Amino acid sequence: MTSAQHVDGVLVQWGERLFYPSNRIVKAASTPRLDALNRRKAAVIRKRIEAVVRRAPQVMVKVTGGGRGMAAIAAHFRYISKNGRLNIEDDREVVRNGKEALHDLADQWRFGGSLIPEEGHRREAFNIMLSMPADTDARLLQNAAREFAKVELAGHRYVMVLHEHQANPHVHLSVRAEGSSGKRLNPRKSDLHRWRETFAEKLRGWGIEAEATRQASRGESRNFEPLWRVKAKEDGRLRSATAPTKVGPAYRDSRSQAMAGWAHIMKALAGSEAADDRKLAAQIAGFVKGTPFLQEQIKDRAREVQPARPAPRQQSAPDLKVARAGPDFSR
């Protein structure tokens, strides 16, 4: 095995653990030669690493809630479209606005499949938000969101609305839980990560730099509050605050495993014959050193090795009889 093949093998082995969950694999054209397949996969992972170390913008995909009846779903239509003032686009790419259009959409959802009652006990729709930083082109973001929905929400009715009047441009999606096949949407954590990957991929297709790296792989510790807590806090209804940073064994284990993955990749690149690989290894070292998790570990170890201060010498109790007789005590 050549040095280049060894480096590619390490990149694929540890890069897939860092960047891809179990239900997502590195895309590479099929080929009968194993070394060629590894080379293609390694090239994909190199690009991911380069984007992470230069801190490319991270996409945000969040499920913000969902209606348990047609009343709640119609209310969300009114909210995201500003009561019909903003264009609302459906899964057929039909764009409409106005209150009459909202009524028509509500009727389509109510009767298009199993009947959705006005009030219900199960979630009949999911509300999703796709967002990027403030300097992102809003129209290109909308194009990427449209392509995302066609891939990830195929077979489901959905509507989307672009919001560009706030700090960060974002797209609101509302998707009917029941699909045309009768199968119901039920997103889990792995699905959300795949959604982030797909959205980032579609953004890159429109020339927007975007990444969808997990917090663990970036050594991040920030706790993001769910939307219901944010709204409750704004209304003064929140009874308990969430810790601003993550803690606990699961947090430490996931970050430690990610740091081990980075260490293996960095070691392989540092020993490569290619100058670009050695340069990338140095960039990884700088990135890892600046991660919040590693900074926490450095501080914890510094506290552990800090020599304990000697306990102050205890003075014997003063003779009360002498103290009472002295002039100092009287003052």
Side-chain angles (χ1 to χ4, degrees), residues 71-185:
I73 295 171
H76 191 67
F77 288 174
R78 292 192 297 271
Y79 165 71
I80 62 177
S81 68
K82 302 301 178 187
N83 213 21
R85 294 192 298 274
L86 298 180
N87 287 338
I88 187 165
E89 179 179 329
D90 65 18
D91 50 287
R92 300 166 299 168
E93 296 188 35
V94 175
V95 180
R96 292 179 289 179
N97 55 41
K99 294 182 179 180
E100 186 177 346
L102 296 181
H103 287 305
D104 289 344
L105 278 173
D107 284 343
Q108 289 175 19
W109 279 44
R110 189 193 308 273
F111 303 112
S114 299
L115 177 68
I116 299 179
E118 196 71 5
E119 304 287 343
H121 65 279
R122 66 177 181 177
R123 199 179 298 277
E124 299 291 355
F126 287 91
N127 305 327
I128 306 166
M129 185 167 68
L130 312 178
S131 178
M132 279 291 283
D135 57 350
T136 306
D137 186 298
R139 295 299 164 182
L140 296 183
L141 182 143
Q142 184 181 36
N143 292 343
R146 184 180 298 113
E147 293 178 354
F148 160 87
K150 285 186 176 299
V151 172
E152 295 293 350
L153 307 178
H156 291 264
R157 285 185 178 272
Y158 58 82
V159 295
M160 56 182 284
V161 178
L162 172 66
H163 281 197
E164 51 184 327
H165 56 281
Q166 293 167 299
N168 293 5
H170 55 275
V171 168
H172 286 280
L173 275 161
S174 187
V175 54
R176 200 179 196 272
E178 184 185 74
S180 56
S181 64
K183 186 176 180 180
R184 296 181 67 82
L185 191 66

Side-chain angles (χ1 to χ4, degrees), residues 311-319:
R313 295 180 60 186
Q314 293 185 351
Q315 296 180 352
S316 58
D319 189 332

